């Protein structure tokens, strides 16, 4: 399955992107930067296609992808890449493979609702109106662009069985993580105007910086996909402002629209970068280019109008936009990780010796001020900090290029090897909630319990008064279709308020073992790792215990 998922991911995101780049006449001489643009356009393509179409099936998806792949292979010219860049990228791929070795499920809470959304898209072939049956009395409005891409990968690779979803998310997530190498390279290549410095920046971002490699510990796959779009979009936007063409206009609009559908949070941060670029264009009196950029922004919003009109009507969305993020403290353990301290030092050096670094500093400062003066769920400090790898890696490469201009290749090799060795493991053990024992229990549930069974699962307080699963029980509904007392993690924000309160009350009853209340709510089984409950045990293996509630 892993090979099919990898090939499927590359085919789904490269083929349409390569064709769009050729259609837009984006003549990029650098092979690595060109590939980054193809990936970004490919990621933007599928959400936009999904927004305006429906009725997708395995056959239709495979036919469309096959046509795109054949067209790309026939029309796109393959260019050589430098040996050193291929070696470094191979090390990146190796580390990403090692990071998920032995994992049966993606770590932490978010992947549960990512899998839920992918399953809904795969099974319905269109955008659903609700998250039912997994979250009853709910409204569908969570960003879904990344999930549309993975739905097509599932159709192409044949991973449409719900039990395939955990592994599919893990593998495709690490493919996207590895492709960060090309995205950072593309941004650094345009900003630093040096392929050697760009390769060093990509090496630092993927093998020295703790992020985005650490994204796997949180299942931050949509944010990761969005970050792959940011550098190519910034490059195309800048070139559109300086030398407008119709192709650059179309590419800018498509990339910006795709970014909006994949992750609004990252799109907001990119908007700050865009405003800084607009200021630079205004300083250069590129008025015609600024008009083109403005029209491209309007076109991007126009392309996504059906979706944003839908969510603008929802009271839940208005509440999220206007409410403060709680908590919004700076995550010091992440911001001050040992690997990150080197990046901060290099950034300070770059500020001292490179005037252009102040452009990156301006973006960081503006984002920091907005996040902390007007705190919101949209861009909390925790989300902003894990995006810093992009400007910090570029600035670090700039500083090292200035200090050691004749030894950049040696510095790149040293950073790649040292980083690969130190980054052999990165997954936080505390975020591994479900294991292979849970996967085996899921198979037992699917074959030994009726479809009408309902499970009480263990939970803990999470954020904004909501609860989260603490073990594999959180995956029961998505994998087996059996409802649980705690729905996937989005429930508190997408359910009707009354239904959310009732859910919380039931979760609390499960936590204190009020079995009478659970039976009254239709619960028939208890899934736990507590082997001491005074109930009839029907399953016990490798620490996972399932009890049957008496009727």
């Amino acid at each position: 399955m892993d090979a099919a998922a990898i090939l499927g991911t590359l085919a789904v995101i490269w083929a349409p992107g390569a064709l769009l780049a050729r259609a837009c006449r984006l003549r990029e001489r650098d092979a690595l930067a060109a590939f980054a643009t193809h990936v970004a356009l490919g990621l933007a393509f599928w959400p936009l296609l999904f927004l305006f179409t429906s009725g997708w099936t395995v056959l239709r998806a495979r036919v469309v992808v096959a046509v795109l792949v054949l067209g790309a292979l026939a029309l796109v010219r393959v260019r050589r890449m430098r040996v050193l860049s291929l070696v470094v990228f191979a090390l990146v791929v190796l580390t990403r493979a090692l990071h998920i070795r032995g994992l049966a499920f993606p770590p932490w809470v978010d992947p549960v609702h990512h899998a839920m959304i992918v399953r809904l898209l795969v099974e319905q072939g269109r955008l659903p109106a609700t998250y039912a049956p997994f979250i009853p009395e709910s409204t569908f409005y969570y960003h879904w662009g990344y999930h549309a891409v993975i739905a097509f990968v599932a159709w192409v690779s044949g991973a449409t069985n719900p039990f395939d979803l955990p592994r599919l998310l893990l593998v495709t997530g690490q493919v996207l993580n590895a492709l960060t190498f090309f995205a950072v390279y593309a941004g650094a290549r345009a900003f630093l105007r040096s392929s050697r410095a760009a390769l060093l920046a990509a090496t630092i971002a993927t093998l020295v910086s703790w992020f985005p490699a650490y994204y796997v510990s949180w299942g931050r796959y949509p944010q990761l996909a969005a970050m792959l779009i940011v550098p190519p979009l910034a490059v195309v936007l800048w070139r559109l402002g300086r030398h407008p063409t119709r192709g650059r206009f179309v590419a800018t609009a498509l990339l910006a629209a795709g970014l909006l559908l994949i992750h609004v949070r990252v799109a907001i941060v990119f908007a700050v970068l865009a405003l800084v670029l607009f200021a630079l264009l205004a300083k250069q009196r590129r008025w015609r280019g600024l008009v083109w950029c403005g029209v491209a922004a309007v076109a991007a919003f126009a392309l996504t109008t059906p979706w944003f009109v839908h969510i603008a009507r929802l009271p839940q969305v208005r509440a999220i936009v206007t409410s403060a993020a709680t908590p919004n403290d700076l995550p010091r353990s992440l911001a001050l990780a040992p690997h990150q301290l080197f990046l901060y030092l290099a950034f300070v050096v770059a500020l001292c010796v490179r005037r252009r670094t102040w452009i990156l500093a301006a973006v960081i400062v503006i984002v920091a001020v907005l996040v902390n003066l007007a705190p919101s769920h949209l861009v909390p400090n925790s989300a902003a900090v894990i995006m810093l790898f992009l400007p910090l890696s570029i600035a670090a490469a700039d500083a090292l290029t200035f200090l050691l201009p004749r030894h950049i290749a040696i510095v790149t090799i040293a950073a790649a090897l040292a980083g690969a060795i130190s980054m052999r493991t990165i997954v936080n053990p505390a975020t591994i909630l479900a294991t292979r024992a849970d996967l085996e229990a899921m198979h037992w549930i699917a074959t030994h319990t009726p479809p009408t069974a309902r499970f009480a699962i263990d939970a803990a307080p999470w954020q904004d008064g909501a609860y989260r699963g603490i073990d594999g029980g959180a995956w029961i509904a998505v994998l087996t279709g059996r409802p649980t007392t705690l729905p996937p993690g989005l429930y508190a924000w997408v359910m009707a308020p009354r239904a959310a309160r009732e859910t919380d009350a039931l979760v609390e009853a499960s936590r204190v073992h009020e079995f009478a209340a659970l039976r009254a709510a239709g619960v028939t089984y208890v899934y736990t790792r507590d082997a001491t409950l005074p109930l009839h045990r029907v399953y016990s293996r490798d620490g996972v215990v399932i009890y049957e509630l008496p009727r």
Side-chain angles (χ1 to χ4, degrees), residues 12 16 20 40-54 56 121 126-127 144-149 152 229 233 249-263 296-308:
V12 164
L20 284 170
L41 284 168
L43 287 170
F45 172 79
W46 297 107
L48 288 168
L49 180 65
F50 214 91
L51 180 62
F52 292 100
T53 59
S54 60
W56 287 99
L121 298 185
R126 58 177 174 80
L127 289 181
W144 50 268
Y146 152 81
H147 308 85
V149 176
F152 277 94
I229 294 179
L233 174 54
F249 168 80
V250 172
T252 300
L254 290 176
L255 288 170
L259 182 61
L260 285 167
L261 295 176
I262 291 174
H263 212 292
V298 172
F301 281 105
L303 286 171
T304 56
T305 294
W307 175 247
F308 285 102

Side-chain angles (χ1 to χ4, degrees), residues 462-545:
W462 192 24
Q463 56 187 8
D464 296 336
Y467 291 89
R468 65 170 178 85
I470 61 174
D471 57 25
W475 286 87
I476 290 175
V478 176
L479 266 60
T480 72
R482 277 66 170 173
T484 56
T485 51
L486 177 64
L490 293 178
Y491 81 94
W493 297 272
V494 301
M495 292 181 83
R498 174 194 53 78
R501 289 192 297 270
E502 292 175 357
T503 296
D504 289 339
L506 188 60
V507 170
E508 192 57 37
S510 177
R511 295 184 70 209
V512 298
H513 300 154
E514 292 182 1
F515 299 125
L518 295 177
R519 284 195 295 270
V523 174
T524 52
Y525 293 91
V526 176
Y527 186 102
T528 183
R529 290 186 177 270
D530 184 352
T532 64
L533 297 184
L535 299 170
H536 174 55
R537 187 181 303 181
V538 294
Y539 179 92
S540 180
R541 189 177 303 166
D542 297 328
V544 177
V545 185

Side-chain angles (χ1 to χ4, degrees), residues 188-245:
R189 180 71 178 81
F191 187 73
L192 304 180
R193 300 178 184 179
S194 166
S195 59
R196 295 191 306 158
L199 178 57
L200 178 57
T203 303
I204 293 172
T206 51
L207 292 173
V208 177
S209 173
W210 211 237
F211 305 103
Y214 190 80
Y215 279 22
V216 66
S217 282
W218 287 345
R220 287 290 179 87
Y221 302 127
Q223 186 165 347
L224 176 63
M227 292 300 291
L228 293 179
I229 294 179
V230 168
L233 174 54
V235 173
V236 175
L237 179 67
W238 177 251
R239 291 174 178 172
L240 175 65
R242 288 178 58 82
H243 304 289
T245 65

Side-chain angles (χ1 to χ4, degrees), residues 445-455 476-484:
I445 291 171
T447 56
H448 290 80
T449 65
T452 56
R454 188 179 188 187
F455 284 77
I476 290 175
V478 176
L479 266 60
T480 72
R482 277 66 170 173
T484 56

Side-chain angles (χ1 to χ4, degrees), residues 30 32-33 35-37 39-40 96 176-207 209 211-212 224 227-232 235 343 387-397:
D30 191 298
L32 299 181
F35 183 71
T37 303
V39 168
R96 279 19 179 206
L176 296 179
N177 210 309
L179 293 177
T180 306
F181 175 86
F182 297 98
V184 176
Y185 178 94
R189 180 71 178 81
F191 187 73
L192 304 180
R193 300 178 184 179
S194 166
S195 59
R196 295 191 306 158
L199 178 57
L200 178 57
T203 303
I204 293 172
T206 51
L207 292 173
S209 173
F211 305 103
L224 176 63
M227 292 300 291
L228 293 179
I229 294 179
V230 168
V235 173
L343 296 183
M387 297 186 216
L388 278 175
F389 74 88
L390 182 55
L392 293 183
S393 298
I394 294 175

Side-chain angles (χ1 to χ4, degrees), residues 157-514:
S157 63
T160 55
N161 187 300
F163 281 91
D164 295 332
L165 292 178
R167 189 64 186 176
L168 181 68
L169 292 183
L170 273 173
V171 174
T172 56
Q174 293 306 85
V175 171
L176 296 179
N177 210 309
L179 293 177
T180 306
F181 175 86
F182 297 98
V184 176
Y185 178 94
R189 180 71 178 81
F191 187 73
L192 304 180
R193 300 178 184 179
S194 166
S195 59
R196 295 191 306 158
L199 178 57
L200 178 57
T203 303
I204 293 172
T206 51
L207 292 173
V208 177
S209 173
W210 211 237
F211 305 103
Y214 190 80
Y215 279 22
V216 66
S217 282
W218 287 345
R220 287 290 179 87
Y221 302 127
Q223 186 165 347
L224 176 63
M227 292 300 291
L228 293 179
I229 294 179
V230 168
L233 174 54
V235 173
V236 175
L237 179 67
W238 177 251
R239 291 174 178 172
L240 175 65
R242 288 178 58 82
H243 304 289
T245 65
R246 292 180 181 178
R248 288 170 179 167
F249 168 80
V250 172
T252 300
L254 290 176
L255 288 170
L259 182 61
L260 285 167
L261 295 176
I262 291 174
H263 212 292
V264 173
R265 175 178 292 164
V266 178
I268 292 172
V269 173
F270 176 80
V272 174
L273 171 59
L275 289 175
V276 172
L277 295 180
F278 290 168
L280 293 174
L281 290 170
K283 183 180 179 181
Q284 298 175 7
R285 300 182 181 275
R286 303 277 182 173
W287 309 118
R288 179 168 172 267
L290 277 171
V291 171
W292 275 85
C293 291
V295 176
V298 172
F301 281 105
L303 286 171
T304 56
T305 294
W307 175 247
F308 285 102
V309 167
H310 162 69
I311 64 174
R313 297 171 177 172
L314 302 177
Q316 303 101 314
V317 175
R318 292 195 293 270
I320 290 175
V321 171
T322 58
S323 63
T326 53
N328 193 34
D329 297 331
L330 180 69
R332 292 181 176 83
S333 61
L334 300 177
L336 301 179
H339 291 65
Q340 303 305 106
L341 296 179
F342 159 75
L343 296 183
Y344 299 140
L345 176 61
F347 190 80
V348 172
V349 173
L351 285 174
C352 297
V353 301
R354 295 293 203 188
R355 289 179 57 187
R356 58 192 174 195
T357 306
W358 287 95
I359 298 173
L360 302 177
V363 175
I364 294 173
V365 169
I366 294 172
V367 170
V369 170
L370 291 176
V371 167
N372 290 282
L373 289 185
S376 167
H377 280 281
L378 290 177
V379 190
N381 268 314
S382 59
V385 164
I386 64 175
M387 297 186 216
L388 278 175
F389 74 88
L390 182 55
L392 293 183
S393 298
I394 294 175
D398 201 13
L400 290 171
T401 303
F402 177 82
L403 297 174
L404 302 167
R406 298 182 180 180
H407 306 287
I408 296 304
I410 296 175
V411 173
T412 301
I413 295 171
L417 292 175
I421 292 172
S422 65
M423 204 180 282
R424 286 173 295 177
T425 60
I426 200 168
V427 175
N428 185 346
T431 64
I432 301 177
L433 305 182
T435 65
R436 191 162 299 280
D438 293 293
L439 185 60
E440 293 176 359
M442 301 293 154
H443 284 286
W444 184 90
I445 291 171
T447 56
H448 290 80
T449 65
T452 56
R454 188 179 188 187
F455 284 77
I457 64 174
D458 291 333
W462 192 24
Q463 56 187 8
D464 296 336
Y467 291 89
R468 65 170 178 85
I470 61 174
D471 57 25
W475 286 87
I476 290 175
V478 176
L479 266 60
T480 72
R482 277 66 170 173
T484 56
T485 51
L486 177 64
L490 293 178
Y491 81 94
W493 297 272
V494 301
M495 292 181 83
R498 174 194 53 78
R501 289 192 297 270
E502 292 175 357
T503 296
D504 289 339
L506 188 60
V507 170
E508 192 57 37
S510 177
R511 295 184 70 209
V512 298
H513 300 154
E514 292 182 1

